[in-house]
């Protein structure tokens, strides 16, 4: 079932996002992570995509080999396993980085054959050895371009022009939005114009970057409406559970942490106290967003399912 159909069916629903496990682990690590969350009957589960990175491996003679390593493969397989194991919809993330257009088309055909009819389309970040994002020679530079390829496939248009009467896929397409602006965008209005371009090209909904101040989400939704972006905007929520995250989250995700929250965290002696503060904050955010009638509460679970369990059980 499509994300947009889930939204139509019920008021504020719950969904989760997970990461593929590190290479070498089994699918059971995913089930162990998700089992405690399934009592809340999530409408769908997103699975992130992680491109390969170049690392230098030292050889016996002291010189180095440059090798491509994908630390977290398996997004498509995990989605299929989740749908089969839990009978719940899975939403794979698909990125521009590292993909040629042909590889993208083949990945979309795999998803279609597996009965997966949702995708979250994003650009991906620059590779670790690059300062700015660089597409593959025959890849997409922006999420909008990748989105247009998915829309083409939804209309039966394949890269090979001689495919006539090609089967039409039925992907429901989500894209990323940034209440605190994407870090490369010169300003919020420019960023919103590009978000509108994604929606005008056919995106069905927007999922936001995490935020810790609901005012920023509400202001973003208002600004989107003023810009003519009228698709559902799903808030992405993440708990803070360690003191280290006070600097890691702003550096990695370019988000602010409200003073009230950071002051409370700085008072904590140990991370178990931070987890209590972070859980209370997440609960406060969730309750307020639910009251405001958001379509979905989407939780980034990243290795802390018990924190999400403790929060969600108080709001469903
Ligand atoms: P785009 O929409 O392409 O925008 C990138 C930048 O370019 C923005 O600054 C935008 O304003 C600008 N821009 C857009 N179009 C144009 C244009 N035509 N001309 C000039 N400038 C333009 N990363 C992963 O690697 N894997 C994941 O699974 C993943 N999941 C995510 C899920 C969510 C909900 C979010 C919010 C982010 C996720 N990311 C993921 C991170 C994402 O890949 C990065 O934030 C990336 O830097 C931008 O992706 P985007 O799709 O927003 O890019």
């Amino acid at each position: 079932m499509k994300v947009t159909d889930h939204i139509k069916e019920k008021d504020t629903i719950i969904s989760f996002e997970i990461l593929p496990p590190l290479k070498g682990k089994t699918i059971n690590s995913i089930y162990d992570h998700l089992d405690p969350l399934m009592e809340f009957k999530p409408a769908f589960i997103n699975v992130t995509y992680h491109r390969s990175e170049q690392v230098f491996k030292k050889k016996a003679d002291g010189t180095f080999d440059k090798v491509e390593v994908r630390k977290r493969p398996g997004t498509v397989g995990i989605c299929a396993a989740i749908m089969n194991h839990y009978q719940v919809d899975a939403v794979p993330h698909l990125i521009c980085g590292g993909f040629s257009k042909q590889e993208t088309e083949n990945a979309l055909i795999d998803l279609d054959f597996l009965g997966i009819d949702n995708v979250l389309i994003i650009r991906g970040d620059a590779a670790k050895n690059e300062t700015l994002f660089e597409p593959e020679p025959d890849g997409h530079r922006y999420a909008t371009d990748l989105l247009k390829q998915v829309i083409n496939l939804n209309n039966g248009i394949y890269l090979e022009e001689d495919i006539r009467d090609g089967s039409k896929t039925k992907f429901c397409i989500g894209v990323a939005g940034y209440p605190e602006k994407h870090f490369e965008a010169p300003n919020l209005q420019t960023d919103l114009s590009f978000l509108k371009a994604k929606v005008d090209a056919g995106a069905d909904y927007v999922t936001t970057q995490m935020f810790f101040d609901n005012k920023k989400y509400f202001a973003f939704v208002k600004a989107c409406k003023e810009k003519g972006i009228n698709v559902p905007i799903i808030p992405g929520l993440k708990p803070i559970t360690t003191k280290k995250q006070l600097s890691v989250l702003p550096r990695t995700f370019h988000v602010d942490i409200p003073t009230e929250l950071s002051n409370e965290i700085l008072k904590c002696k140990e991370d178990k106290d931070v987890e209590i503060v972070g859980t209370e904050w997440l609960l406060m955010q969730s309750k307020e967003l639910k009251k405001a009638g958001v379509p979905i509460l989407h939780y980034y679970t990243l290795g802390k399912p018990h924190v999400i369990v403790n929060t969600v059980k108080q709001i469903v």
Side-chain angles (χ1 to χ4, degrees):
M1 191 165 148
K2 293 172 195 289
V3 166
T4 44
D5 291 332
H6 281 292
I7 293 174
K8 280 184 214 142
E9 211 169 54
K10 222 168 130 214
D11 288 345
T12 313
I13 49 183
I14 304 294
S15 60
F16 299 122
E17 180 180 298
I18 61 164
L19 269 72
L22 287 169
K23 193 184 272 188
K25 299 225 159 127
T26 71
I27 191 69
N28 289 327
S29 63
I30 291 290
Y31 299 150
D32 290 345
H33 183 84
L34 284 176
D35 279 350
L37 295 167
M38 295 315 286
E39 64 169 294
F40 305 115
K41 300 191 173 30
F44 54 87
I45 294 164
N46 281 48
V47 184
T48 55
Y49 190 94
H50 300 261
R51 65 185 294 179
S52 56
E53 49 192 86
Q54 291 182 341
V55 295
F56 290 91
K57 289 235 161 111
K58 198 170 185 182
K59 294 194 290 185
D61 64 2
T63 60
F64 288 86
D65 262 346
K66 194 158 81 174
V67 284
E68 288 272 322
V69 178
R70 253 190 95 195
K71 290 185 177 161
R72 294 181 185 273
T75 301
V76 174
I78 292 168
C79 284
I82 286 174
M83 289 176 66
N84 187 40
H85 189 76
Y86 296 110
Q87 278 77 52
V88 66
D89 286 307
V91 182
H93 292 192
L94 195 60
I95 65 173
C96 304
F99 277 82
S100 69
K101 289 175 192 156
Q102 284 291 350
E103 285 163 341
T104 297
E105 184 167 280
N106 293 338
L108 289 165
I109 290 170
D110 278 345
L111 294 176
D112 186 48
F113 285 174
L114 286 165
I116 296 170
D117 54 5
N118 290 289
V119 272
L120 188 84
I121 293 298
I122 48 253
R123 186 194 70 182
D125 282 322
K128 290 230 161 82
N129 57 327
E130 291 168 348
T131 39
L132 283 175
F133 176 84
E134 275 304 326
E136 293 301 295
D138 179 31
H140 296 296
R141 181 168 288 280
Y142 294 109
T144 324
D145 308 320
L146 171 55
L147 177 101
K148 286 178 182 162
Q149 187 175 2
V150 185
I151 298 284
N152 274 346
L153 221 57
N154 277 353
N155 289 314
I157 301 167
Y158 289 70
L159 293 173
E160 283 89 351
E161 283 165 9
D162 50 350
I163 298 181
R164 305 210 188 277
D165 297 323
S167 149
K168 294 179 183 179
T169 55
K170 299 181 200 70
F171 290 108
C172 172
I173 308 166
V175 290
Y178 303 83
E180 298 177 62
K181 140 180 142 46
H182 184 258
F183 69 103
E184 290 168 21
N187 54 65
L188 185 62
Q189 281 308 318
T190 310
D191 205 22
L192 283 173
S193 301
F194 291 127
L195 179 58
K196 178 149 178 2
K198 293 196 266 192
V199 173
D200 289 346
D204 296 294
Y205 66 95
V206 175
T207 302
T208 76
Q209 182 58 279
M210 68 186 72
F211 56 89
F212 297 93
D213 180 352
N214 285 352
K215 283 203 273 320
K216 297 203 168 155
Y217 169 81
F218 294 130
F220 178 67
V221 171
K222 186 166 173 276
C224 284
K225 292 247 157 65
E226 284 164 5
K227 203 89 188 170
I229 298 169
N230 292 313
V231 294
I233 299 176
I234 299 173
L237 295 165
K238 180 179 165 58
I240 296 189
T241 53
T242 64
K243 221 176 231 188
K244 210 166 96 182
Q245 285 175 310
L246 277 187
S247 46
V248 171
L249 294 177
R251 194 181 64 220
T252 314
F253 299 103
H254 310 273
V255 293
D256 269 357
I257 300 191
T259 323
E260 198 188 332
L261 175 58
S262 61
N263 282 347
E264 283 306 307
I265 291 173
L266 287 170
K267 279 189 223 157
C268 294
K269 288 209 168 56
E270 298 174 50
D271 278 345
K272 67 178 173 37
D273 307 318
V274 176
E275 195 172 293
I276 295 169
V277 172
T279 308
E280 278 169 10
W281 192 269
L282 182 67
L283 181 61
M284 178 276 291
Q285 279 195 279
S286 305
K287 282 182 173 167
E288 190 182 29
L289 290 164
K290 187 178 178 195
K291 202 166 161 209
V294 299
I296 300 185
L297 292 168
H298 182 69
Y299 293 97
Y300 299 122
T301 65
L302 305 177
K304 296 279 178 186
H306 63 282
V307 175
I308 308 296
V309 168
N310 290 339
T311 305
V312 178
K313 73 176 172 210
Q314 297 187 63
I315 51 162
V316 288

